[in-house]
Amino acid sequence: MLVASAATVDAGAEAAKAKGFSVRDIGGAGRIVIKIGTNLLSKNWAVDTAYLRGISAQIASLIKAGKKVLLVTSGAVGMGAGELGIREKITSVRMRQACASIGQPLLMKEYKEAFARHGLIAAQILLTREVLNNRKTYLNLQNSVETLLSLGVAPIFNENDSISTAEIGNAFGDNDRLSALVASKVGADLLILLTDIGALYDADPRVHPGAKPIALVPRVTQEILACAGAAGSTFSTGGMRTKVLAAQIAGRAGCRMVLADGREPDILARILAGEEIGTLFLAQKKPASRERWILMSSPQGTISVDEGAIEAMRKHKSLLPSGIHGVTGTFAAGDVVSVNDTAKIVTSLSSVEIKTLMGQHSSEIRKTLGESKRDVVARPEDIVFLS
Ligand code: GLU
């Protein structure tokens, strides 16, 4: 059974056309994150040098045309396994860590050589989830990325798999979402996910031969998520679901996403020329940088509040201890926490402090914790609603 009608989801394109513009007008995107999946980068258990050189040449053309391009590469685990002569999926976390540290330099060597053919320099940035969550390391990262981009150097990202067990276990999960987080953090206009599946289909094409590709997704809904069955191969961890989740993350950060077959000739130029290829996921209005950071950080705990507090927050008022009736998790002041799964805030009090003060008047904060404390749990600028 087909789970969504391609006609319904393509209706957004018609509406845009009627308003006199094409949703595929994406050539103006100045800052682009491109994610390349393991399946595209590997052949016969090693780096597919021809593919990597071809796609690097396409990226080099974009850079030379003035685009700021950030690359997210997969393939470290797969290349490491190939180097060790392993031919089956590696399930042990330790082994995946080892393979990643063997494979990552092999990948980077190929990128270095491929970019050098076009007079360009490649840089490596390995990320962990904590780096993106922590405001300080995130700002450091932003500085190095901006410097690299201003030098015309392409930053090439991957998860630091050797130390980030969450990623290669599956809590963080995959480079699809990693690339969406990178896109969101750097304020990208466009995220391109290159994969060996050309589009999102309205049903799993391997099971339903009549499945139709979806050209446009105006918004990631439950119906769209239902289209994305689990996939993945021997060494990659993502599937269609993680790609749709990536679109959701990018969309919330104001970044459109195109999912396309990375083996199509001149795929990058064709996407930017507006060719209707793959699936285009539209984005919401781009939030300000700090808001994006709050939105994209994983919450360190949850605060439960009453409806009155939610209403006040929606009216751009601060979150006060009086409206709080529960706290889960252990977090420090300055951490991002979620509020009733409705909003995310940067809390000015730790979980222990909130537990002491919840339900009380805000004047109690300074009386109990000292004058240096703010008299609110979160100011309006520290609060971001999820929808
Ligand atoms: N970071 C992993 C690697 O480089 C890939 C994760 C993924 O396939 O999404 O091997």
Side-chain angles (χ1 to χ4, degrees), residues 38 73-78 158-159 161 167 174-176 235-238:
T38 299
T73 188
S74 293
V77 173
N158 196 357
E159 180 91 4
D161 295 317
E167 195 273 344
D174 56 88
N175 278 5
D176 296 326
F235 293 115
S236 69
T237 44

Side-chain angles (χ1 to χ4, degrees), residues 89-342:
K89 191 175 177 87
I90 297 160
T91 46
S92 134
V93 169
R94 280 169 176 237
M95 203 56 192
R96 284 182 69 89
Q97 288 175 311
C99 287
S101 53
I102 295 168
Q104 182 66 24
L106 301 177
L107 264 178
M108 282 313 296
K109 178 180 164 285
E110 296 293 341
Y111 279 115
K112 181 186 176 310
E113 284 170 13
F115 277 85
R117 294 162 85 96
H118 306 278
L120 294 174
I121 295 173
Q124 168 183 273
I125 301 185
L126 297 179
L127 290 180
T128 60
R129 185 82 201 191
E130 292 77 19
V131 169
L132 293 187
N133 284 341
N134 180 293
R135 179 95 185 140
K136 209 163 160 193
T137 47
Y138 157 66
L139 291 175
N140 289 342
L141 171 74
Q142 208 175 35
N143 288 340
S144 45
V145 167
E146 295 306 328
T147 310
L148 288 168
L149 291 176
S150 70
L151 292 167
V153 174
I156 303 181
F157 293 82
N158 196 357
E159 180 91 4
N160 194 349
D161 295 317
S162 306
I163 61 164
S164 169
T165 52
E167 195 273 344
I168 54 180
N170 64 13
F172 185 86
D174 56 88
N175 278 5
D176 296 326
R177 276 171 293 180
L178 173 69
S179 62
L181 289 169
V182 168
S184 134
K185 300 280 180 181
V186 302
D189 311 303
L190 180 65
L191 167 64
I192 300 177
L193 289 195
L194 295 179
T195 174
D196 55 356
I197 306 163
L200 174 68
Y201 283 78
D202 58 0
D204 187 342
R206 291 162 306 181
V207 186
H208 304 280
K212 291 191 187 63
I214 299 172
L216 180 81
V217 176
R219 204 183 180 97
V220 175
T221 57
Q222 285 309 321
E223 186 194 18
I224 290 296
L225 274 167
C227 294
S233 69
T234 313
F235 293 115
S236 69
T237 44
M240 199 44 84
R241 190 175 170 80
T242 59
K243 290 174 179 52
V244 173
L245 291 173
Q248 192 170 46
I249 295 171
R252 281 182 180 155
C255 174
R256 284 176 287 183
M257 185 180 110
V258 174
L259 171 71
D261 184 345
R263 291 205 186 271
E264 282 283 332
D266 284 329
I267 184 68
L268 297 178
R270 287 164 63 194
I271 289 172
L272 287 172
E275 189 175 319
E276 199 171 285
I277 196 163
T279 303
L280 168 66
F281 297 80
L282 296 185
Q284 295 158 41
K285 197 170 148 274
K286 197 182 270 187
S289 159
R290 184 173 158 79
E291 227 174 287
R292 283 203 312 272
W293 171 73
I294 297 174
L295 209 50
M296 297 308 143
S297 296
S298 20
Q300 303 301 302
T302 303
I303 298 177
S304 314
V305 305
D306 58 32
E307 270 314 303
I310 292 285
E311 236 171 81
M313 284 160 60
R314 282 209 188 270
K315 289 184 186 145
H316 303 287
K317 301 233 167 69
S318 298
L319 173 63
L320 307 175
S322 52
I324 300 178
H325 53 71
V327 178
T328 46
T330 307
F331 49 83
D335 281 350
V336 173
V337 297
S338 81
V339 176
N340 287 13
D341 283 335
T342 307

Side-chain angles (χ1 to χ4, degrees), residues 36-94:
I36 312 176
T38 299
N39 295 349
L40 292 175
L41 289 168
S42 55
K43 195 176 181 182
N44 302 327
W45 317 102
V47 181
D48 185 344
T49 306
Y51 180 79
L52 190 140
R53 286 191 180 168
I55 200 72
S56 300
Q58 292 188 46
I59 293 169
S61 307
L62 296 186
I63 296 173
K64 286 183 178 165
K67 306 284 185 199
K68 304 284 184 210
V69 182
L70 300 96
L71 192 58
V72 175
T73 188
S74 293
V77 173
M79 302 317 152
E83 188 77 353
L84 287 170
I86 299 172
R87 297 287 181 264
E88 67 274 359
K89 191 175 177 87
I90 297 160
T91 46
S92 134
V93 169
R94 280 169 176 237

